[in-house]
């Protein structure tokens, strides 16, 4: 029985209405789907390494890629990086990440300013004291001259100290003072909003402005973005900064952003993961896609449902088969997106015993129920809800993979399928 003080959402709340921003042909906000983005960790001055990593991120599904522009050598490399990506057939929009001397780099390297599709500005370190407004204004002026959007990205680790001190002092004189954490959240919101309004005062339209407010704690991120979403209609970039490594970073990012997305908040996301030594940077793209897909917002790759295993499933066959199919699907998606339009909506089930196996398999587009401990060594395969074939023998895994590929060709391709559509048995013993 449900308690009267509990509310359960059966579907996400209506998407918060934001002003759409075109970033190099990719629309962020408005009615556009939530956009996945990532960032390189190469030295941008090393064009070879940076092109290779951008290409890997783009092919993995990153729709925007941010690169560090921290010095002259990096700024000089940007147009060459863009040209080389275009020669590879990759027209992924590039975002320049500027801190401290962004105004100077953009002025000294106009080819860089033109090659980038968006500039990321941190109002906490764009300049200090009397130089802050001037240098911020120079970047906004450059963006408007080149017709580029900006992301005004506040980060709690480099928050405008003058603003924070002012709000702290103001809070102390208040009869009901806020906590230090609440003041910090307010400072983050105000920093972004004041900077955005300053850009508008200079003539930049709302359709050129994206806001972000990065913190490293889950509850702070939720609180800041809920507040920010209520106070403006700028497009919002979600991301938990310094999220961490491995499962910690994945869980923290997914927990915080999942709550915000469920409330209709967020137009583009990045899951910032500290890579393992020598790890694959594309992992954060995969996690972003999985978050959006499991929540039902977008489809990127076919879903492979697999049971967790129990005492009935002592065999590792179903685990190996699920992993094999999932890896094959992800590796094949760059080609399949072009060859098989719509294949990202495919559902595959790989189940380990007869308890839930047949039922789960019937609900998938194509599914297999492998035999568990002590069960008859037969594996029924269900296609579009109907039992189509029973596989037997040591080649079950390979036979099922062939059926999956054949199903994809039949449903999404132009070729003729050789899939089995009548109940029969294959005995490869």
């Amino acid at each position: 029985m449900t308690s009267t003080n509990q509310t359960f959402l059966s579907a996400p709340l209506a998407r918060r209405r934001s002003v759409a921003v075109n970033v190099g042909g990719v629309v962020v906000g408005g009615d556009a789907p939530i956009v996945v983005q990532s960032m390189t960790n190469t030295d941008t001055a090393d064009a070879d390494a940076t092109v290779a990593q951008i290409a890997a991120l783009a092919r993995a599904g990153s729709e925007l890629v941010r690169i560090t522009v921290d010095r002259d050598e990096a700024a000089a490399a940007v147009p060459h990086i863009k040209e080389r990506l275009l020669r590879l057939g990759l027209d992924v929009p590039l975002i320049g990440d500027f801190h401290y001397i962004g105004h100077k780099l953009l002025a000294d390297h106009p080819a860089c300013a033109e090659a980038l599709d968006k500039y990321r500005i941190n109002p906490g370190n764009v300049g200090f004291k009397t130089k802050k407004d001037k240098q911020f204004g120079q970047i906004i002026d450059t963006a408007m001259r080149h017709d580029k959007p900006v992301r005004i990205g506040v980060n709690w680790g480099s928050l405008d100290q003058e603003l924070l001190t002012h709000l702290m002092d103001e809070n102390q004189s208040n009869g009901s003072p806020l906590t230090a954490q609440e003041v910090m959240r307010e400072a983050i919101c105000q920093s972004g909003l004041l900077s955005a309004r300053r850009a508008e005062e200079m003539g930049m339209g709302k359709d050129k402005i994206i806001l972000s407010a990065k913190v490293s704690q889950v509850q702070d991120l939720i609180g800041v973005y809920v507040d920010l979403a209520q106070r403006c209609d700028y497009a919002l970039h979600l991301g938990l900064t310094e999220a961490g490594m491995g499962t910690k970073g994945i869980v923290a990012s997914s927990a915080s952003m999942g709550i915000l997305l469920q409330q209709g908040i967020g137009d583009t996301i990045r899951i910032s993961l500290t890579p393992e030594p020598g790890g694959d940077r594309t992992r954060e793209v995969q996690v972003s896609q999985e978050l959006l897909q499991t929540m039902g917002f977008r489809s990127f790759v076919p879903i492979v449902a697999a049971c967790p295993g129990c005492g009935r499933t002592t065999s590792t066959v179903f685990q190996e088969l699920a992993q094999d199919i999932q890896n094959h699907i992800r590796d094949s998606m760059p080609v399949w997106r072009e060859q098989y339009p719509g294949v990202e909506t495919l559902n595959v089930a790989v189940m380990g015993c007869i308890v839930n196996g047949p039922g789960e398999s019937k609900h998938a587009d194509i599914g297999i129920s492998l035999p568990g401990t002590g069960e008859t060594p037969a594996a029924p395969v269900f296609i579009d809800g109907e039992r189509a074939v029973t596989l037997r023998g040591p080649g079950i895994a390979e036979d099922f993979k062939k059926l999956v590929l054949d199903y994809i060709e039949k449903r999404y391709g132009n070729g003729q399928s050789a899939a089995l559509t009548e109940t029969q048995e294959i005995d490869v013993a």
Side-chain angles (χ1 to χ4, degrees):
M1 183 174 180
T2 303
S3 172
T4 56
N5 64 353
Q6 289 180 309
T7 300
F8 294 95
L9 299 177
S10 59
L13 296 179
R15 180 95 171 270
R16 165 185 170 271
R17 187 68 181 178
S18 62
V19 177
V21 180
N22 189 314
V23 182
V26 174
V27 178
V28 176
D31 295 323
I34 299 164
V35 172
V36 170
Q37 62 177 280
S38 184
M39 183 177 183
T40 60
N41 61 359
T42 57
D43 178 359
T44 304
D46 183 345
D48 291 342
T50 303
V51 167
Q53 192 170 87
I54 292 171
L57 291 168
R59 287 168 178 152
S62 186
E63 294 158 302
L64 304 172
V65 177
R66 182 159 46 114
I67 59 177
T68 298
V69 187
D70 58 347
R71 63 193 195 281
D72 288 309
E73 293 82 358
V78 170
H80 302 295
I81 290 168
K82 184 77 169 182
E83 290 171 8
R84 289 174 59 178
L85 289 168
L86 291 173
R87 288 201 300 268
L88 292 172
L90 295 171
D91 193 17
V92 58
L94 299 183
I95 302 161
D97 195 59
F98 293 100
H99 297 275
Y100 305 111
I101 59 170
H103 63 291
K104 185 176 185 301
L105 292 173
L106 287 167
D108 292 347
H109 298 274
C112 169
E114 182 57 36
L116 292 169
D117 296 284
K118 185 176 74 173
Y119 310 154
R120 189 272 178 141
I121 314 169
N122 183 341
N125 59 31
V126 71
F128 302 99
K129 298 187 181 298
T130 58
K131 295 181 179 180
K132 180 175 64 176
D133 288 344
K134 179 183 176 181
Q135 292 174 185
F136 176 82
Q138 288 174 332
I139 297 177
I140 296 299
D141 182 64
T142 301
M144 290 193 295
R145 281 191 287 107
H146 289 276
D147 195 28
K148 306 293 183 179
V150 299
R151 169 159 75 95
I152 297 173
V154 184
N155 190 303
W156 81 295
S158 51
L159 191 56
D160 184 333
Q161 292 303 301
E162 289 184 38
L163 175 61
L164 181 59
T165 300
H166 170 73
L167 292 177
M168 286 288 190
D169 291 342
E170 189 178 72
N171 184 56
Q172 286 299 317
S173 61
N174 192 318
S176 303
L178 301 173
T179 66
Q181 186 178 39
E182 289 170 330
V183 175
M184 183 196 71
R185 290 181 182 178
E186 177 61 21
I188 290 171
C189 287
Q190 283 201 28
S191 179
L193 292 171
L194 290 171
S195 297
R197 287 165 189 158
R198 166 76 172 141
E200 285 196 72
E201 289 169 1
M202 293 184 62
M204 178 169 277
K206 280 189 173 182
D207 63 342
K208 296 292 186 182
I209 300 172
I210 296 172
L211 291 188
S212 68
K214 297 292 191 71
V215 296
S216 60
Q217 297 299 318
V218 169
Q219 296 300 336
D220 286 334
L221 191 82
I222 296 167
V224 166
Y225 272 98
V226 167
D227 194 9
L228 200 58
Q230 293 171 346
R231 294 162 68 172
C232 72
D233 60 356
Y234 298 113
L236 296 180
H237 165 121
L238 300 188
L240 190 73
T241 192
E242 290 95 37
M245 183 180 288
T247 56
K248 187 271 180 185
I250 293 172
V251 171
S253 294
S254 299
S256 56
M257 283 191 271
I259 290 171
L260 291 167
L261 292 169
Q262 185 74 9
Q263 295 183 51
I265 298 171
D267 301 294
T268 178
I269 68 170
R270 180 197 172 196
I271 290 188
S272 305
L273 298 178
T274 304
E276 304 287 344
D280 188 350
R281 190 66 164 180
T282 62
R283 177 63 172 151
E284 64 180 41
V285 178
Q286 180 183 341
V287 175
S288 295
Q289 291 179 331
E290 289 176 350
L291 174 62
L292 293 177
Q293 184 151 345
T294 54
M295 292 191 71
F297 293 113
R298 293 188 65 181
S299 294
F300 295 97
V301 297
I303 292 175
V304 178
C307 68
C310 66
R312 290 177 175 271
T313 56
T314 52
S315 170
T316 61
V317 173
F318 83 96
Q319 299 166 337
E320 294 163 356
L321 179 57
Q323 182 180 49
D324 194 14
I325 289 177
Q326 183 70 78
N327 290 343
H328 182 71
I329 285 172
R330 189 163 291 279
D331 291 342
S332 301
M333 278 307 293
V335 173
W336 284 1
R337 285 190 189 97
E338 302 296 327
Q339 189 175 359
Y340 302 118
V343 70
E344 64 275 4
T345 64
L346 177 71
N347 287 300
V348 181
V350 180
M351 306 303 293
C353 77
I354 61 171
V355 175
N356 294 314
E360 289 280 358
S361 297
K362 287 178 183 178
H363 289 301
D365 295 311
I366 179 169
I368 185 170
S369 179
L370 291 159
T373 304
E375 294 175 8
T376 302
V381 175
F382 296 83
I383 297 177
D384 293 329
E386 301 293 332
R387 180 168 170 169
V389 59
T390 298
L391 303 180
R392 300 178 185 276
I396 286 177
E398 286 304 313
D399 288 335
F400 182 65
K401 280 179 61 179
K402 291 175 184 176
L403 288 172
V404 171
L405 297 177
D406 199 44
Y407 181 85
I408 290 171
E409 175 63 31
K410 177 184 177 183
R411 179 170 175 179
Y412 302 102
N414 296 320
Q416 297 298 313
S417 173
L420 300 170
T421 56
E422 295 182 0
T423 302
Q424 52 184 293
E425 293 190 358
I426 297 178
D427 191 343
V428 293

